[in-house]
Amino acid sequence: MTEFSHFDESGRARMVDVSEKTETVREARARAVVTMRPETLAMIREGRHAKGDVLAVAQVAGIMGAKKTSDLIPMCHPLLLESVKLAFDYGTQHLEIVATARLTGKTGVEMEALTAATVAALTVYDMCKAVDKDMVIGDICLLSKTGGKSGPYERQDG
């Protein structure tokens, strides 16, 4: 197993030094799922929510979340993201959110993609909690990543 890189020899937290790393194109995809009542899902899909277009707001929130990742996660490097995209897919009782973050740089964008998907899911919850307090946010995971020394990763269980 690989050693944890965010601790120094004394066991103290540290930001990883990436100054010697090579810049590569890096991309990461992450998912979050919001489970809800079918009526809530229909309201979102049909644009009938009194607060407006839930997915448009969630999309902007996800992008903003990705851009603020280093402010939220202590050891993340501030990154110059080149692209953040969110996609939404309806199930029978859930909304799947997939965020893709991309840049050319010295460190990966997995945390930015995970943050984007999570913040978008939290925004859906916030906008819809008045009509469905039983929503559940889950299945937050990294789906894939490319670039960097460790090479590509693809989640095997979808």
Side-chain angles (χ1 to χ4, degrees), residues 33-37 40-41 44 121-138:
V33 176
V34 185
T35 305
M36 62 189 77
R37 294 191 327 245
T40 308
L41 197 60
I44 294 170
L122 288 166
T123 300
V124 170
Y125 188 95
D126 180 53
M127 290 189 73
C128 298
K129 68 184 183 281
V131 296
D132 188 354
K133 288 182 180 33
D134 291 325
M135 288 178 288
V136 175
I137 297 170

Side-chain angles (χ1 to χ4, degrees), residues 68-131:
K68 292 291 190 178
T69 300
S70 67
D71 292 336
L72 300 169
I73 311 297
M75 300 304 163
C76 282
H77 293 82
L79 301 179
L80 293 173
L81 295 170
E82 295 167 352
S83 174
V84 178
K85 298 177 183 173
L86 282 95
F88 302 92
D89 190 31
Y90 297 98
T92 55
Q93 281 193 276
H94 71 271
L95 177 67
E96 181 182 73
I97 303 165
V98 175
T100 304
R102 184 178 174 93
L103 61 63
T104 303
K106 295 182 176 192
T107 189
V109 290
E110 296 92 344
M111 294 307 300
E112 286 71 16
L114 285 160
T115 301
T118 303
V119 170
L122 288 166
T123 300
V124 170
Y125 188 95
D126 180 53
M127 290 189 73
C128 298
K129 68 184 183 281
V131 296

